[in-house]
Amino acid sequence: MREIILASHGALASGMADTAQMIIGDQPGLRVLSLQPGSHPDALKRQIEYWLAETSADEVLILTDLWGGSVNNALLGLTQDPRVHIIAGMNLNLVLQLCLSPEPLAEVIPAALKEAQQGMIYGNAVLACPQAEDELF
């Protein structure tokens, strides 16, 4: 069983989860943690540690908003648990792929990251030269 935790500063994780579930339907294994103003990121880490001790999930993926940000930095130590994988820089394409993929995380993460990155398109360049879209990205 796989659990996915979206963790961010402010409401980004909540909005990402809401949008993903609007597109692909309810995801029971999708959780949200948000660092609110005045809160300390270690509180998020403690919440996940408590949950990890209680869960039977064999894979736990934590997607954070920003590499080097306080949320990401606070959670990186959780990778000492062999079930835990952390990816920084979440985007909707990545969340959708990882929610829908039945393959083990070690197999799906590299391809999902590549596809998520390729999903970032500069629309102006495509509109200016649509025949060169493959060369631009």
Side-chain angles (χ1 to χ4, degrees):
M1 175 177 75
R2 175 182 304 159
E3 298 280 343
I4 298 175
I5 300 170
L6 306 181
S8 71
H9 298 82
L12 178 64
S14 178
M16 190 78 66
D18 288 345
T19 302
Q21 292 183 98
M22 179 181 177
I23 295 170
I24 61 175
D26 186 44
Q27 298 295 305
L30 186 62
R31 300 178 181 281
V32 171
L33 287 175
S34 299
L35 181 66
Q36 298 302 319
S39 298
H40 196 279
D42 285 342
L44 298 181
K45 181 180 180 187
R46 285 191 297 275
Q47 286 178 353
I48 295 175
E49 287 171 333
Y50 177 79
W51 176 80
L52 283 170
E54 302 293 320
T55 187
S56 61
D58 54 348
E59 291 186 313
V60 178
L61 177 61
I62 302 171
L63 299 173
T64 66
D65 54 357
L66 183 65
W67 177 257
S70 57
V71 171
N72 184 264
N73 289 346
L75 302 180
L76 280 174
L78 297 172
T79 60
Q80 292 179 5
D81 183 322
R83 299 174 295 169
V84 176
H85 302 260
I86 294 183
I87 299 174
M90 72 171 134
N91 67 30
L92 185 59
N93 192 352
L94 183 63
V95 172
L96 294 174
Q97 289 179 70
L98 294 169
C99 283
L100 294 173
S101 178
E103 290 88 15
L105 286 174
E107 294 175 21
V108 74
I109 286 174
L113 284 171
K114 185 175 181 180
E115 189 170 325
Q117 291 167 346
Q118 290 174 340
M120 297 175 68
I121 307 293
Y122 180 38
N124 293 42
V126 173
L127 292 174
C129 189
Q131 66 275 15
E133 181 176 352
D134 292 336
E135 296 171 18
L136 293 171
F137 313 101

